[in-house]
Amino acid sequence: MSASQTSSSDVPADVPTLLVKIFGKDRPGITAGLFDTLAAYSVDVVDIEQVVTRGRMVLCALVTEPPPGLEGDLRSTVHSWAESMKMQAEIISGLGDNRPRGLGRSLVTVLGHPLTAEATAAIAARITKTGGNIDRIFRLAKYPVTAVEFAVSGVETEPLRTALVTDAARLGIDVAVVAAGLYRRAQRLVVMDVDSTLIQDEVIELFAAHAGCEDKVAEVTAAAMRGELDFEQSLHARVALLEGLDASVVDKVRSEVRLTPGARTLIRTLKRLGYQVGVVSGGFTQVTDDLKERLGLDFAHANTLEIVDGRLTGKVTGEIVDRAGKARLLRRFAAEAGVPLSQTVAIGDGANDLDMLNAAGLGVAFNAKPVVREAAHAAVNFPFLDTVLYLLGVTREEVEAADILDVG
């Protein structure tokens, strides 16, 4: 589906207007032809909306009434022109412009694989129950998931988000609700967690596999991600198990790291659209620095494994990147990028990402633990990282255009 809309200055509520609707098989020249036809009657354009679905067009034009005595001729001429184009026409008399939209503007993005009629009906009904009105619906993508955006007015963003997120889990879909406005496309910094977000692995577990203590490290990692352990204490406990490991293992771990499906596409598209992209990690600079270079990231920060005489000492050096540290780094990156915090996006999956997700203008829980999904602004539960693009209003066509530019 594609759609376009524009409107001119308001017209008084008592001014007669005509809604001219043209529908039928889409073909070049329909829009120009309709307005060429209307131009002969000295009407002013109040509003325009056009939608094309599977090659079928609906074009609506709200125009002022023609001079006295010409309305009948206008109607006859429009119907004749439409028939000549193998289209149908409908003309409805009324007064004034469209009904004013209620206060409160939000964009509701719904992701489904598949997106069922039942789920769509439930979301639409919930919007109505909260006092909202659906002004427009637009499909952002048809693969790897179906992504549809609802423009909603008449209800504030926060209560609408609360109501819809509750329904989303029951319906097996993902829903993101953000305030509408120009700032959405002005978001110019995206910061991601690394382990189990940008990559499929937990880096410390890759190191542990080489040290023969993978099970012990995985157990502590899982408890930390659930929020059951203090992150700094758990980090020191896990790193201590790596003492004596030969530093040559760093290159092996780098080669074992697996990017999350869609990670390259996400970063490539964001960069093509002018975003800056960074990562923060409770993992290690020995891996994040390599990712920064490989993926062309703007920012990267993590803990650093201490290496002395070619072996890991079982310690980390410098300031620890923990839950609070990730939020501090988001703020630091935003300041360095010259981007207001309200125009940042943070993506993560674990409890130690919560402060960062809450500090960002939009916090996205990616295949996250329940406690994280409940606290984040939006959640994505599909295994493709590039689906986050749809929450930013980026269409699949823009993603593909970025791919073409990259190849070129």
Side-chain angles (χ1 to χ4, degrees):
M1 178 182 291
S2 62
S4 58
Q5 185 177 26
T6 185
S7 75
S8 63
S9 58
D10 291 340
V11 297
D14 59 350
V15 170
T17 52
L18 298 175
L19 175 61
V20 181
K21 183 167 73 172
I22 304 297
F23 48 98
K25 185 178 180 180
D26 186 29
R27 55 174 58 83
I30 297 297
T31 304
L34 173 62
F35 287 99
D36 277 343
T37 302
L38 293 172
Y41 297 91
S42 302
V43 298
D44 294 329
V45 177
V46 178
D47 202 355
I48 307 170
E49 185 163 359
Q50 178 175 307
V51 177
V52 178
T53 307
R54 288 186 60 185
R56 307 294 292 183
M57 167 193 278
V58 178
L59 169 61
C60 294
L62 186 64
V63 300
T64 55
E65 189 179 56
L70 294 181
E71 181 178 336
D73 189 46
L74 180 150
R75 287 174 176 269
S76 177
T77 301
V78 168
H79 279 286
S80 295
W81 169 81
E83 185 176 349
S84 72
M85 300 298 293
K86 295 183 170 47
M87 306 285 282
Q88 297 181 60
E90 181 180 2
I91 303 175
I92 303 171
S93 299
L95 296 174
D97 200 345
N98 298 311
R99 177 172 59 85
R101 295 175 180 172
L103 295 177
R105 302 279 192 279
S106 299
L107 296 171
V108 177
T109 306
V110 180
L111 307 179
H113 185 61
L115 179 59
T116 66
E118 177 187 7
T120 306
I123 291 298
R126 179 63 68 182
I127 291 172
T128 300
K129 289 178 181 177
T130 61
N133 182 71
I134 299 172
D135 299 321
R136 202 167 179 197
I137 304 174
F138 179 75
R139 188 180 72 184
L140 296 168
K142 59 184 178 181
Y143 70 92
V145 299
T146 300
V148 178
E149 181 178 271
F150 295 76
V152 177
S153 62
V155 60
E156 295 300 326
T157 300
E158 286 302 324
L160 180 60
R161 177 187 292 137
T162 300
L164 292 178
V165 167
T166 300
D167 285 348
R170 175 177 58 82
L171 296 168
I173 57 175
D174 289 335
V175 175
V177 184
V178 300
L182 293 176
Y183 87 93
R184 188 196 197 195
R185 279 305 185 112
Q187 290 172 323
R188 293 300 180 191
L189 173 65
V190 175
V191 176
M192 288 176 277
D193 171 44
V194 176
D195 293 9
S196 299
T197 300
L198 178 64
I199 66 175
Q200 300 177 59
D201 313 282
E202 293 287 334
V203 168
I204 196 166
E205 293 179 9
L206 296 179
F207 277 101
H210 292 279
C213 57
E214 186 176 13
D215 290 344
K216 291 181 180 179
V217 166
E219 183 179 336
V220 179
T221 299
M225 290 297 100
R226 292 193 299 266
E228 297 171 1
L229 292 176
D230 173 81
F231 179 80
E232 183 171 351
Q233 292 177 337
S234 69
L235 176 67
H236 288 304
R238 289 175 290 175
V239 172
L241 295 170
L242 307 180
E243 182 180 0
L245 197 60
D246 193 281
S248 62
V249 78
V250 170
D251 289 334
K252 295 177 182 177
V253 167
R254 286 175 174 172
S255 68
E256 292 166 353
V257 165
R258 300 167 299 164
L259 292 174
T260 298
R264 288 187 182 277
T265 298
L266 171 69
I267 294 169
R268 179 170 57 242
T269 304
L270 290 173
K271 298 292 287 182
R272 286 290 184 185
L273 293 175
Y275 284 65
Q276 296 187 62
V277 184
V279 294
V280 292
S281 177
F284 310 110
T285 56
Q286 282 84 356
V287 171
T288 58
D289 287 351
D290 180 62
L291 289 171
K292 180 182 179 183
E293 182 178 350
R294 286 167 51 196
L295 299 174
L297 302 174
D298 300 285
F299 304 97
H301 201 94
N303 301 301
T304 299
L305 291 168
E306 184 180 63
I307 299 175
V308 176
D309 296 330
R311 293 191 176 276
L312 276 64
T313 66
K315 299 177 182 179
V316 292
T317 62
E319 181 183 4
I320 297 299
V321 179
D322 56 7
R323 175 169 167 167
K326 288 188 174 185
R328 286 195 300 271
L329 287 164
L330 172 69
R331 294 185 177 93
R332 184 192 303 175
F333 293 168
E336 292 177 10
V339 173
L341 202 58
S342 62
Q343 294 178 0
T344 62
V345 180
I347 310 168
D349 74 299
N352 64 330
D353 297 315
L354 279 173
D355 288 3
M356 176 177 71
L357 298 182
N358 290 328
L362 176 63
V364 180
F366 180 73
N367 291 317
K369 313 299 184 292
V371 66
V372 182
R373 291 200 303 268
E374 292 168 5
H377 300 128
V380 171
N381 294 300
F382 298 101
F384 312 106
L385 193 56
D386 55 335
T387 55
V388 172
L389 291 166
Y390 308 138
L391 306 186
L392 308 180
V394 179
T395 67
R396 190 69 205 178
E397 287 78 9
E398 289 174 300
V399 174
E400 292 171 350
D403 287 343
I404 293 171
L405 288 170
D406 190 70
V407 171

